Amino acid sequence: MNFMTTTMFAPRIWGFDPSTPEVRIARQSGWRMADILWEYLMEQANVAWTQDDSARAAWGFRRAAWAARLFFAKDDLRHATVMVNQGICAQARGQMTRAQRCFAKALVCWDAHSERALADIQIAPRARSSLFHLRMEARHRATYHANMQLRLSKISAEVRAAIAALADGNTAECRLFSRWRGEKPNVFDDTRKILGACLLIIDADGV
């Protein structure tokens, strides 16, 4: 399927405007329209959940799932993210069998693919407030990358524990989506995709 064709009608079909400055920056950074759309749909669905609009949230997560199935590789962690949220939505409706099925599938996906996703991550240079900091990052880029991968690995492990808790019928003892705005990188690279997969999940206390 041609994604550019589907996004011609994005405001009507997806509720998404592909002509914004942020979309242009993301595209110039190498992101596909599918990456941008998925993040948008997941953000909007999570916001709807925080506003107690569970129907709009569930619909948003379904659309994000469609986008992921159409345009992402099967080993993409963002499939697991959608499944977790769909499980939480099902749980809230009392559909416990469906919820547990979603959580179990998400856990399998995370266990199968998170290590490789972190190992293969491509990290773009960050905007720095001074030439000194820019030079320091360039000089110690390997160390910077290693530290970033370690930080993302810790977040991934936290998310894995949350998914496992849900799969076991327990509460996920962590907050995720509420951290997204603070953690979201200001550049469009693999760290933003990984953090999106980790943090665009309904907060535990919102279940």
Side-chain angles (χ1 to χ4, degrees), residues 4-164:
M4 294 307 294
T5 299
T6 64
T7 53
M8 287 174 61
F9 304 99
R12 185 178 64 192
I13 298 173
W14 301 102
F16 166 75
D17 182 0
S19 64
T20 65
E22 186 176 36
V23 170
R24 288 197 297 271
I25 293 171
R27 292 287 290 159
Q28 290 167 2
S29 301
W31 269 35
R32 299 173 302 161
M33 289 298 295
D35 299 318
I36 303 164
L37 174 64
W38 184 89
E39 182 183 286
Y40 170 83
L41 292 172
M42 292 292 283
E43 281 188 329
Q44 294 303 305
N46 270 284
V47 168
W49 187 272
T50 67
Q51 296 171 345
D52 297 322
D53 191 343
S54 59
R56 185 161 63 93
W59 174 231
F61 293 133
R62 282 198 296 273
R63 290 188 295 166
W66 294 339
R69 282 195 295 268
L70 287 170
F71 304 113
F72 293 168
K74 291 183 179 180
D75 61 354
D76 196 304
L77 287 181
R78 290 170 289 185
H79 291 292
T81 313
V82 176
M83 285 187 281
V84 174
N85 286 332
Q86 289 185 308
I88 293 172
C89 289
Q91 189 178 64
R93 294 192 298 268
Q95 299 171 349
M96 304 309 295
T97 299
R98 183 173 188 276
Q100 288 304 307
R101 187 164 58 246
C102 288
F103 297 144
K105 287 182 178 179
L107 187 59
V108 168
C109 179
W110 206 269
D111 284 344
H113 306 306
S114 60
E115 186 175 343
R116 172 60 66 85
L118 290 166
D120 292 345
I121 194 170
Q122 298 295 313
I123 304 173
R126 267 44 182 171
R128 298 299 179 185
S129 58
S130 70
L131 182 59
F132 170 77
H133 289 100
L134 186 64
R135 287 174 174 169
M136 287 295 290
E137 179 182 333
R139 183 176 301 172
H140 302 287
R141 191 152 184 78
T143 300
Y144 173 78
H145 280 203
N147 290 338
M148 177 66 77
Q149 285 184 308
L150 177 61
R151 177 169 168 269
L152 292 173
S153 294
K154 290 179 178 178
I155 295 174
S156 175
E158 184 180 356
V159 174
R160 197 269 176 198
I163 300 172

